[in-house]
């Protein structure tokens, strides 16, 4: 049966973690923000209550992370219907969503965002890729629009500025969850295997901060994101003789990675921990799945089928989609935007920011809170294992880490 950490244990864990240094400088932070915009109109008699809120949804509809982008988009639309009770209206304001494809390219994302802002959009959401989010966040502060970032996990988003929020988890929360599985890290040798990208580097920094701060010796093996032959990197990991291998990987080369790790004997020589990716990734582990420990941001059913999770699952499936890893990120973003407009109005971004800061709500994963100091999204995280092989592989929930037990250190917003 799944178990939940006690509050006292959670506070002890959080106390330990808060002694760790801040992961990234404010200039590198990555986050998302949303802003409400008043629709243009020639009828001056229209009141502000009738103004439409234009939301720009910028995400990876194509590109390497297109599958993740679709999950996010499906969740957003389901969340919008849920939060507005199917009306797509809040406090008299119609929510109008315009979708833009960034294809995982920061340049395209920035161009799309600037175009939307130029047309009067005051709410932006999305960003599947961490590198994209890092470029989008500064635009929020520069133009005073509300930006709610999505699956982008880099810790640099948290606290980047006062207009940026996030609707997903961050790397620090992943590492804190992994730390609950590792026991005493003092004197242990840890290797982070990741892609040499913003996401990968953020994971290296997080592991060094969390486990290194507890006495572990942390090193890394970084592969180019374009690499397809991953055997040399698996051999490098094995040669280092680590006690723990933390794997942070995203994209279509994951099957090749796990094949290489298994063939080179890494899975049998060291404890291997990784994040549980989307359902499409389950079969790629094969027999290796039983040799790996999984920290999980989300998988269908992880939330215990609470009322909000059930609403998301039902809505996405009814619309022909398949709930997955990042579906809650979109759903949560919609909840946040609707709340910001309901409490802050359609045009006052400062009021929308204030409405979100400190807001606690029932989310897909359970009790969720927007931390006021730095806009970190505090949320439960999960520990799981894979049962079965191939197409029958499915996650089984082992543990739920409550939001305070896996809360990253406070990093006040840069401005």
């Amino acid at each position: 049966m799944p178990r939940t950490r006690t509050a006292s244990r959670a506070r002890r864990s959080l106390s330990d973690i808060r002694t760790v240094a801040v992961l990234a400088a404010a200039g590198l932070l990555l986050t998302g923000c949303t802003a409400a915009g008043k629709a243009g109109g020639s009828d001056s008699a229209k009141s502000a209550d009738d103004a439409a809120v234009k939301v720009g949804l910028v995400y990876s509809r194509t590109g390497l992370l297109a599958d993740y982008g679709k999950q996010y988009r499906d969740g957003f639309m389901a969340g919008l219907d849920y939060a507005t009770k199917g009306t797509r209206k809040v406090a008299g304001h119609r929510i109008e969503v315009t979708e833009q494809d960034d294809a995982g390219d920061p340049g395209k994302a920035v161009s799309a965002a600037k175009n939307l802002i130029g047309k009067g959009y005051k709410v932006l959401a999305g960003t599947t890729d961490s590198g994209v989010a890092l470029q989008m966040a500064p635009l929020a502060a520069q133009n005073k629009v509300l930006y709610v970032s999505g699956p982008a996990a880099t810790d640099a988003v948290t606290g980047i500025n006062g207009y940026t929020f996030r609707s997903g988890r961050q790397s620090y929360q992943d590492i804190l969850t992994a730390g609950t599985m590792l026991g005493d890290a003092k004197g242990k040798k840890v290797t982070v295997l990741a892609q040499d990208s913003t996401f990968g580097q953020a994971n290296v920094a997080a592991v060094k901060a969390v486990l290194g701060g507890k006495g572990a010796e942390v090193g890394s093996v970084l592969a180019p994101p374009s690499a397809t032959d991953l055997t040399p990197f698996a051999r490098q990991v094995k040669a280092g003789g680590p006690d723990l291998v933390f794997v942070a990987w995203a994209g279509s080369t994951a099957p090749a990675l796990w094949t290489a790790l298994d063939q080179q004997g890494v899975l049998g020589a060291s404890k291997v921990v990784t994040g549980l990716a989307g359902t499409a990734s389950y079969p790629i582990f094969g027999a290796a799945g039983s040799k790996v420990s999984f920290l999980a941001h989300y998988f269908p059913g992880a939330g215990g089928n609470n009322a909000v999770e059930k609403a998301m699952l039902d809505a996405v499936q009814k619309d022909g989609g398949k709930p997955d890893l990042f579906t809650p990120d979109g759903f949560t973003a919609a909840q946040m935007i609707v709340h910001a407009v309901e409490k802050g109005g359609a045009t006052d971004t400062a009021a929308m920011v204030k409405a979100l800061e400190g807001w606690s709500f029932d989310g897909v994963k359970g009790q969720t809170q927007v931390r006021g100091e730095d806009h970190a999204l505090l949320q439960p995280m999960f520990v799981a294992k894979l049962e079965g092989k191939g197409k029958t592989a499915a996650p089984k929930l082992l543990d739920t880490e409550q939001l305070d037990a896996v809360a990253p250190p406070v990093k006040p917003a840069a401005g």
Side-chain angles (χ1 to χ4, degrees):
M1 294 292 292
R3 57 188 175 85
T4 301
R5 302 288 186 186
T6 64
S8 61
R9 182 176 177 184
R11 287 192 292 270
R12 289 197 299 271
S13 175
L14 181 57
S15 177
D16 290 341
I17 294 306
R18 281 178 172 163
T19 63
V20 180
V22 174
L23 287 181
L28 294 179
L29 301 181
L30 169 64
T31 187
C33 57
T34 82
K38 181 178 179 180
S42 59
D43 187 358
S44 59
K46 288 187 176 181
S47 70
D49 289 341
D50 296 322
V53 177
K54 294 183 177 180
V55 178
L57 198 65
V58 183
Y59 68 101
S60 295
R61 189 162 57 204
T62 62
L64 291 175
L65 300 180
D67 287 345
Y68 293 159
K70 185 179 187 306
Q71 295 168 23
Y72 171 84
R73 187 265 180 197
D74 289 350
F76 186 90
M77 296 306 177
L80 188 57
D81 284 337
Y82 173 82
T84 63
K85 297 179 172 59
T87 66
R88 297 285 175 98
K89 292 182 179 180
V90 56
H93 305 293
R94 186 174 65 259
I95 306 294
E96 296 180 352
V97 180
T98 298
E99 300 181 34
Q100 296 288 306
D101 179 18
D102 62 34
D105 183 337
K108 289 183 179 180
V110 168
S111 178
K114 287 182 176 179
N115 182 52
L116 291 169
I117 292 170
K119 292 179 179 180
Y121 284 67
K122 291 183 178 294
V123 180
L124 299 177
T127 58
T128 314
D129 178 84
S130 291
V132 172
L134 284 172
Q135 295 297 317
M136 291 278 286
L139 291 177
Q142 293 165 9
N143 295 279
K144 297 184 179 180
V145 301
L146 182 63
Y147 170 57
V148 180
S149 180
T154 178
D155 296 290
V157 169
T158 298
I160 189 169
N161 59 58
Y163 290 89
T164 298
F165 292 79
R166 65 191 320 150
S167 63
R169 100 297 188 198
Q170 62 188 83
S171 296
Y172 214 118
Q173 289 162 314
D174 286 342
I175 310 306
L176 290 174
T177 306
T180 66
M181 295 184 276
L182 303 179
D184 186 4
K186 188 174 182 180
K188 299 290 181 62
K189 186 173 184 179
V190 179
T191 297
V192 182
L193 174 60
Q195 290 149 312
D196 193 1
S197 63
T198 301
F199 172 72
Q201 292 163 4
N203 274 275
V204 174
V207 174
K208 285 183 176 179
V210 179
L211 300 184
K214 291 184 175 183
E217 177 188 344
V218 180
S220 64
V221 173
L222 298 176
S226 60
T228 55
D229 180 6
L230 301 173
T231 298
F233 303 100
R235 288 175 177 167
Q236 187 177 344
V237 171
K238 177 73 177 297
D243 298 293
L244 171 76
V245 180
F246 183 90
V247 181
W249 207 268
S252 60
T253 55
L257 173 72
W258 291 105
T259 296
L261 289 174
D262 204 9
Q263 290 179 344
Q264 298 305 313
V266 176
L267 302 182
S270 305
K271 183 177 181 64
V272 179
V273 177
T274 192
L276 186 65
T279 56
S281 73
Y282 301 165
I284 66 105
F285 290 95
S290 62
K291 306 173 186 177
V292 179
S293 299
F294 294 93
L295 61 94
H297 165 47
Y298 178 75
F299 57 87
N305 285 313
N306 66 68
V308 181
E309 181 181 33
K310 189 174 186 303
M312 183 196 76
L313 296 175
D314 291 346
V316 171
Q317 291 168 342
K318 183 178 180 180
D319 203 36
K322 185 176 181 181
D324 212 326
L325 177 65
F326 293 128
T327 313
D329 296 24
F331 195 96
T332 301
Q335 287 181 286
M336 293 172 66
I337 290 170
V338 169
H339 178 78
V341 174
E342 181 180 21
K343 300 299 182 181
T347 60
D348 188 344
T349 52
M352 285 189 276
V353 166
K354 185 176 180 180
L356 286 174
E357 290 179 336
W359 183 43
S360 183
F361 60 101
D362 292 328
V364 173
K365 298 170 65 175
Q367 189 64 27
T368 305
Q369 182 179 19
V370 180
R371 192 163 62 191
E373 295 92 333
D374 57 4
H375 302 174
L377 190 67
L378 308 185
Q379 59 198 287
M381 295 289 287
F382 310 105
V383 176
K385 68 176 182 178
L386 277 180
E387 295 186 328
K389 298 178 182 179
K391 294 182 179 180
T392 67
K396 178 180 179 180
L397 181 64
L398 298 179
D399 198 2
T400 297
E401 302 295 338
Q402 295 303 320
L403 58 86
D404 57 344
V406 290
V410 174
K411 181 164 48 181

